[in-house]
Amino acid sequence: MSDDCIFCKIIAGDIPCSRVYEDDHVLAFNDINPKARVHVLVVPKVHFDRLHESDEVEVGMLGRILVGVGKVASANDITGSGYRVQFNQGRGAGQEVFHLHAHVMSA
Ligand code: 5GP
Ligand code: ZN
């Protein structure tokens, strides 16, 4: 938990979200500013930011994000029509929230 992180506050229930999927490891919710018909964020429940600082310790958490991506795609019925998965890393790539997350966007 990072005190100044909006996604940590959503995970803690301090800020509401439109939940799509949840398990012990990730929370997935609709993006507040959707860029596609389906635009869901898959967020690990532990605060972590930079993919390029990940190591063996993060392997489980990183895999759980991708499992969550698949659950979100199935829940939204976009497995047939297709979807994109995006991780923005760094301000130069458009990252606004510095808590690792996957964007799941319908094609
Ligand atoms: P980034 O640019 O960091 O990869 O993506 C952050 C995403 O979080 C953006 O698409 C933005 O619309 C979304 N976002 C920011 N604040 C909130 C919020 O309070 N609730 C929800 N549901 N989405 C948010
Ligand atoms: Zn956080």
Side-chain angles (χ1 to χ4, degrees), residues 6-7 10 15 29-33 35 39 41 88 94-97 101 103:
I6 194 157
F7 286 176
I10 288 174
I15 294 176
F29 50 89
N30 289 310
D31 196 295
I32 205 167
N33 183 21
K35 309 253 184 339
H39 186 171
L41 304 173
N88 296 329
Q95 188 177 9
E96 297 168 7
V97 179
H101 53 280
H103 295 254

Side-chain angles (χ1 to χ4, degrees), residues 2 5 7-8 47 99:
S2 173
C5 173
F7 286 176
C8 281
H47 183 88
H99 178 136

Side-chain angles (χ1 to χ4, degrees), residues 1-9 11 43-48 97-100:
M1 172 88 184
S2 173
D3 286 345
D4 56 356
C5 173
I6 194 157
F7 286 176
C8 281
K9 289 178 181 160
I11 290 161
V43 180
K45 289 188 171 176
V46 293
H47 183 88
F48 185 78
V97 179
F98 293 86
H99 178 136
L100 185 65

Side-chain angles (χ1 to χ4, degrees), residues 46-80:
V46 293
H47 183 88
F48 185 78
D49 175 13
R50 298 158 187 270
L51 271 180
H52 50 274
E53 291 177 355
S54 65
D55 214 326
E56 277 77 6
V57 177
E58 281 81 34
V59 166
M61 178 270 289
L62 295 173
R64 292 290 182 176
I65 295 173
L66 295 181
V67 170
V69 166
K71 300 283 188 190
V72 164
S74 296
N76 282 282
D77 206 20
I78 54 174
T79 55

